[in-house]
Amino acid sequence: MHKLELIDVQKSYKDKIAVGNTNVCFEHGVYGLLGENGAGKTTLMRMICGILRPDRGSIMCDGLPIIQLQGEYRKLLGYLPQDFGYYKEFTAWRFLNYIAALKAIPEDYAKMKINELLQTVDLMQVKDKKLKTYSGGMIRRIGIAQALLNEPEILVLDEPTSGLDPKERVRFRNIISSLGKQRIVILSTHIVSDVEYIADKIMIMKSGKLIQMGTAQQILKSVENCVWKCAVSEREAEELNKKYIVSNLKNRDDKVELRIVAKEKPIPDAVTEECSLEDAYLYYSLIGQEGEDYALI
C-alpha cells in the first residue's frame, strides 16, 4: 500500500490563492473532500494527479516527489475529472478499449478488464451503443470505468456523482466504498450524503484552505451544541433566517419550525438538537471565518 503526502502545498492564479499551505497525508481508505464550488477542490486534485504543479511545497508518494517519479506515479493513478471528455461516436466498448491502449494495458487483459468493469457499472447491456446516446449518469459510469482500467492504487474522483439519479448515486457509493479497502480513494463533492456513509476521513475546504479533517464522528463532536430547534411565528422566522443559518424549515399549523446552526442560542426557547454531518458542513463552510486557525482533527 502507498502513502501520499502533501507538504506545504500552495497554488495561486494571479493574485488569488486557490490552495493555500496545505499539509495532509493519505493512506488506504476513502477520503471525502467537501467544499462549495470555488473552494479549491479541483485545483487540489489536479495537483495530486500531477496535471498542475504547486507554486510552493511538495507532493510525495512513498517518500519521493511525484515530479521525480513521473511515469511510475502515473501508473498508480486513476482519475475521473469533473469535466469528463469522451468521443461521442465511440461505443462504450470501443472507448474503453481505446483508453486501455493509451494506458499501455496488454490487449488480452484489457478485454477481460473491460467486461468486468462494464458489469460493475451496469452498462454491459448497452456496451455497443454510441456514447452520444447515453444519459449524463451513464457517461459518469463510463468515466469511473475508464479510471479503473489500470487497477489504480490511487483513485482521484472529482464530483463523480454529478448527474446521477438517487439509485445510481447509491450504486456508485457502494462501488467507491469497496474500492477503498486496498487503495487510496480521494472523492471531492459538495453533496454531503455522497461521503457521509462511505468516507473513512472527511476533509472540509473553504477558500482554498483545508479547515477540518477527521472521521465523521470527530467532526460531529467538534460542533456539538451548535444546532438548535425552535418553533416561532412567520415574522420571527423571517428575522431569524436573516440572522442565522437555517438548515431546515417546516410549517407546523400556525408556527414555523426552524433548525438553526449557530454558536450561540438563537432565542431563549430554542433547544439543542443532535448534529448531522450536513449541519457540521454548514457550520464550517459558512460560519468559520477565513484566516481562523483550525486544527486538523
Side-chain angles (χ1 to χ4, degrees):
M1 294 187 186
H2 298 277
K3 184 177 181 180
L4 185 64
E5 294 177 275
L6 279 67
I7 304 168
D8 298 327
V9 168
Q10 182 165 310
K11 181 69 179 178
S12 299
Y13 297 108
K14 295 183 178 179
D15 58 346
K16 181 184 177 183
I17 297 176
V19 174
N21 197 38
T22 297
N23 292 274
V24 63
C25 178
F26 301 99
E27 296 184 274
H28 74 278
V30 178
Y31 295 81
L33 180 58
L34 286 172
E36 60 189 8
N37 292 332
K41 304 187 304 295
T42 293
T43 298
L44 180 64
M45 300 184 98
R46 286 169 68 86
M47 287 192 290
I48 288 171
C49 291
I51 298 167
L52 292 176
R53 289 190 182 182
D55 299 329
R56 235 174 45 193
S58 302
I59 301 176
M60 315 285 284
C61 181
D62 299 332
L64 294 173
I66 63 170
I67 191 172
Q68 180 181 324
L69 291 168
Q70 295 187 359
E72 291 303 309
Y73 179 65
R74 286 193 293 273
K75 288 179 182 177
L76 300 176
L77 278 174
Y79 178 44
L80 174 59
Q82 187 173 0
D83 297 316
F84 170 55
Y86 58 94
Y87 296 104
K88 294 181 180 180
E89 295 297 325
F90 280 22
T91 65
W93 173 268
R94 184 183 174 193
F95 178 72
L96 291 177
N97 199 43
Y98 170 72
I99 296 296
L102 291 180
K103 294 184 177 185
I105 299 172
E107 188 175 347
D108 289 344
Y109 178 79
K111 288 180 179 179
M112 178 193 71
K113 192 65 183 175
I114 290 169
N115 280 328
E116 177 188 314
L117 289 171
L118 285 169
Q119 292 283 5
T120 299
V121 298
D122 196 24
L123 291 173
M124 179 60 81
Q125 300 301 318
V126 291
K127 67 183 178 67
D128 295 321
K129 292 187 179 294
K130 291 185 177 181
L131 296 181
K132 67 181 181 182
T133 68
Y134 278 26
S135 67
M138 292 164 76
I139 290 297
R140 297 308 288 176
R141 283 187 267 158
I142 280 291
I144 186 65
Q146 65 80 30
L148 292 169
L149 273 170
N150 60 324
E151 287 284 356
E153 296 183 60
I154 300 171
L155 183 61
V156 180
L157 307 170
D158 194 356
E159 300 284 356
T161 59
S162 174
L164 300 184
D165 63 32
K167 183 179 177 182
E168 287 178 320
R169 181 172 283 126
V170 170
R171 181 194 295 124
F172 209 87
R173 289 203 303 253
N174 291 339
I175 293 170
I176 294 168
S177 182
S178 65
L179 292 172
K181 294 176 182 177
Q182 300 296 329
R183 71 194 82 201
I184 296 168
V185 179
I186 306 170
L187 158 70
S188 87
T189 185
H190 59 274
I191 303 171
V192 176
S193 61
D194 282 351
V195 299
E196 185 169 11
Y197 299 109
I198 64 170
D200 300 296
K201 290 282 182 72
I202 294 169
M203 304 178 290
I204 301 175
M205 280 192 82
K206 180 186 178 184
S207 302
K209 296 180 181 178
L210 186 60
I211 59 174
Q212 277 293 336
M213 178 173 176
T215 64
Q217 290 76 18
Q218 288 171 326
I219 289 176
L220 290 176
K221 188 171 179 60
S222 71
V223 292
E224 276 183 336
N225 302 318
C226 290
V227 182
W228 309 86
K229 181 180 176 181
C230 57
V232 297
S233 68
E234 285 189 23
R235 184 176 176 181
E236 288 175 297
E238 287 178 11
E239 292 302 315
L240 289 169
N241 207 16
K242 292 176 185 176
K243 188 176 180 181
Y244 297 103
I245 298 168
V246 176
S247 64
N248 198 27
L249 181 153
K250 289 181 181 178
N251 290 303
R252 301 283 193 189
D253 298 323
D254 61 337
K255 294 285 187 179
V256 181
E257 187 178 281
L258 301 179
R259 184 181 179 90
I260 295 173
V261 181
K263 292 180 181 179
E264 72 278 3
K265 195 173 190 176
I267 61 171
D269 291 338
V271 294
T272 56
E273 284 279 285
E274 186 176 349
C275 181
S276 70
L277 187 59
E278 185 176 70
D279 294 323
Y281 171 58
L282 287 170
Y283 178 89
Y284 283 113
S285 61
L286 298 177
I287 293 179
Q289 298 298 310
E290 292 182 42
E292 213 172 304
D293 186 19
Y294 293 93
L296 299 185
I297 297 169

